[in-house]
Structures are given as structure tokens and as C-alpha cells.
Amino acid sequence: MKVTVVGAGNVGATCADVLAYREVANEVVLLDIKEGVAEGKSLDIWQKAPINLYDTRTIGSTNDYTKTAGSDVVVITSGLPRKPGMSRDDLISTNAKIVNSVTENVVKHSPDAIIIIVSNPLDVMTYAAHIKSGLPRTKVMGMAGILDTARYRAFLAEALDVSPKDIQAVLMGGHGDTMVPLPRYTTVGGIPVTELIDADKLEAIVQRTKTGGGELVKLMGTSAWYAPGSAAAQMVEAIVKDQKRVFPVCVKLEGEYGIDDAYLGVPVVLGKNGIEKVIELQLDESEKELLETSRGHVKAVMDVLDKM
């Protein structure tokens, strides 16, 4: 199996490192437009193999897509990261051009690849890549929900003083302030979270989750990378190993949840064919309203991209 990660910045390099360490593929190609960066980081990851005991070969490339040929999965992290005061939507014009160019090259050399988008604004970049690729919606998806639920679960684990391993959660909608965490579907070791925490504390955690990316940008002056890179790697692993994992993933909706032609995070089954099933939950009225608000925001940004 061969996996390519386009963009050797912090997120892309973290993703490649996790993929190598977990031996998800035989070969991981790291590609970047900046001379020598991908080669250096991939060499560094390879030199770590005797220490951490893995076999995955990591190969770097400066904008030479021929080295990515025949990839089974391609992760696209290319684009400018957020700076303090910027929203994800501020990045739309610049990053759309980058994602379109990368997608075109990816499909040219790996026409059968499954594509995972990490670039921001996530939902709209997934839209751009899906249109540019010409691939079915099952093979072009965005990584957001895994990251957002991880933040939600981490905050809950801290508040409850329990292991994050025992917390399961579902989160839907766009990747941003209008995301829709679903406490009704959140459990701790099988116990509904509402039985373990006060409603006001839970609501505070939900709100912190919605602005979780911005919190890190304020602290570091740039976007997060450890959790996003690891989340993308988890999606790759589910596909490469045909694990049939249930994850929240950004996908084009075609009537599910009463929504058509919008790209939103919803629970899906991930396997060797990409998105093998979109799972429709029975949302209550308040949850439907929140999802509709999220849809409206994403669609508005999609419209901005269409007019460019």
C-alpha cells in the first residue's frame, strides 16, 4: 500500500510520521512545494524507524508528483494556516487555488486514489476538491469530525477525570463555530454523559469544542498540528486496513438529513472503498435546527467560492 501526504508543514509531517510509526502502508510519500522540506522531514522520519521499530519507507519530494503515482490514499494538507484574528473562511481564495492545483496533479498520477482533505476552510475545500477531481463523493472527503470529537472527548475526560479511551461521541455539521456536538449520543463507558456531568458544565465544554481550533491559534500563533495530523492518519488507516470504522467525516450530502448538495460532517462507515455508508441519525428538532444553521453557513461559503 502507498499513501501520499501533500503538504509537509506541521500537519502533513505529523500525519506522515503517525502513518509510518503505525505501519499503515509500505510507503509514505511526503510532498511539498518548498525545496528540500519534504525530503528532510521524510528522511528524519525514516531515521527514526530503527528507534521506534517500524518498516514503512518515507520518501520526500519537492513538487514531483510522479513519485506519488499509484497512491491508494492521498491526504491534502496544503494551504496557508490560520493566524490570530483570521477565521477559516478568510483563507478561502488562496487555499482554493492551491487545493484545486494539488487535486488535479493527484488525480493525474493516482486516478484511483481516495482523497482526504485537511486544508481549511475544510468543508468548502472538500467541495472544491470533489468538483475538481471528478471522483464519486465516496472517494473525496474531509477530515474535521474526528478532530472535533477528539477535542470534545479530551475536554470531557479532563472534566470527569476519566480515561479519554472510554468516551465515545458523535459530532456533525461544519468544521467551525457552527459545528453540532450531540451530547445525546455521548457516552462514557456506555453511560450517557448527561448522567455524569451537570448541564451547564456540559454546555461549556460544547462551546469550548466549537472554538477549540481558535483557542490553539491564540496560544501558538498558528493552527494546531498534532491532533489534526493524527486524525487524518486515523482515517487513512481505516481505509487502508478496511476497518469499517464509524467516524464523523465531511462528505457531500445527497438527500441525507433532508440536505442536498452541501458538504457537512456526518457519521459514516470508512473502509477500503472510502465512504461505504452514510449513517442517518434520528435527530430531534433542536438538533435539526443546529444542523440547518451549520448547513446555511457552509453553503454561504460555497457560494462565495462559486463566485470567484
Side-chain angles (χ1 to χ4, degrees), residues 237-269:
E237 185 171 27
I239 293 166
V240 169
K241 296 184 178 180
D242 194 24
Q243 291 177 330
K244 314 293 190 191
R245 297 292 303 273
V246 177
F247 289 136
V249 166
C250 178
V251 61
K252 180 187 180 186
L253 295 180
E254 296 178 344
E256 296 90 357
Y257 298 95
I259 296 172
D260 197 41
D261 200 25
Y263 292 72
L264 288 172
V266 294
V268 307
V269 177

Side-chain angles (χ1 to χ4, degrees), residues 1 3 21 62 113 116 129 144 175 221 228 238 245 253 258 268 298-299:
M1 301 296 290
V3 176
Y21 179 72
T62 300
I116 298 170
H175 183 48
R245 297 292 303 273
L253 295 180
V268 307
V298 171
K299 197 70 172 68

Side-chain angles (χ1 to χ4, degrees), residues 215-235:
E215 179 181 353
L216 289 162
V217 172
K218 287 177 183 176
L219 289 169
M220 302 187 296
T222 189
S223 299
W225 60 88
Y226 293 125
S230 297
Q234 189 172 55
M235 288 176 68

Side-chain angles (χ1 to χ4, degrees), residues 113-127:
I114 292 167
I115 299 174
I116 298 170
I117 302 297
V118 183
S119 309
N120 275 318
L122 188 283
D123 312 288
V124 181
M125 292 305 102
T126 304
Y127 165 49

